[in-house]
Amino acid sequence: MNNIKQITRGQLLLVIFVILLVGGIILGINMASNKSYEEYGEFEKELKISAKNYVEQYDISIKKGGEKKIKMATLDDNEPLYSSLKDKCVGYVIVANDDIEGEEYSYQAYIKCGNKYKTSGYIIE
């Protein structure tokens, strides 16, 4: 019974240090992952803007209820994309005329960046 070992102050500090270290590593990994997802979201926004400019520049008309698929390469040829992801991803923008009055188009970008990120609903080109 007298062989029960007591935890020393040094051992307690070591355990606390290890817990904080592991927590910091996990937090750092999560923060880096969230930053990447934000970067993909910003790239999708850039594609939508580029597609809107493309539709306006070429006066593209879409029938009510219709849609047009514009490839990322076409958008980049027309107006250079500035994101560093343009060389790491493939994608397209779907321009749809789903407005009741037929005057407003909706733009939805879809990208696939290797095994790291893929927009929900992305269909292989």
Side-chain angles (χ1 to χ4, degrees):
M1 290 282 204
N2 292 337
N3 291 338
I4 297 175
K5 197 173 187 182
Q6 292 186 358
I7 298 175
T8 65
R9 193 178 316 170
Q11 290 172 330
L12 183 60
L13 288 174
L14 180 62
V15 168
I16 291 172
F17 175 74
V18 168
I19 290 171
L20 290 174
L21 181 65
V22 169
I25 290 171
I26 291 171
L27 182 64
I29 290 170
N30 285 338
M31 287 175 61
S33 176
N34 287 341
K35 184 177 180 188
S36 293
Y37 281 106
E38 288 176 15
E39 188 176 8
Y40 295 124
E42 290 298 318
F43 184 46
E44 289 172 345
K45 287 179 188 175
E46 181 181 358
L47 287 174
K48 288 179 189 180
I49 292 168
S50 182
K52 186 172 184 173
N53 292 341
Y54 182 83
V55 167
E56 289 174 1
Q57 180 179 356
Y58 290 98
D59 198 27
I60 295 173
S61 178
I62 301 171
K63 295 178 188 177
K64 187 161 56 166
E67 62 183 33
K68 179 172 179 57
K69 181 180 192 179
I70 306 172
K71 292 184 178 183
M72 189 174 84
T74 302
L75 296 173
D76 191 36
D77 288 344
N78 184 60
E79 180 180 299
L81 301 169
Y82 296 104
S83 175
S84 61
L85 293 174
K86 76 176 188 174
D87 296 326
K88 300 173 187 173
C89 303
V90 294
Y92 54 90
V93 176
I94 299 292
V95 184
N97 184 348
D98 47 13
D99 187 48
I100 295 171
E101 297 175 15
E103 296 176 7
E104 290 290 323
Y105 295 157
S106 64
Y107 298 83
Q108 180 60 49
Y110 296 92
I111 59 172
K112 182 177 186 307
C113 305
N115 293 328
K116 294 184 178 189
Y117 180 84
K118 180 171 81 170
T119 306
S120 178
Y122 176 87
I123 299 173
I124 298 172
E125 296 183 77

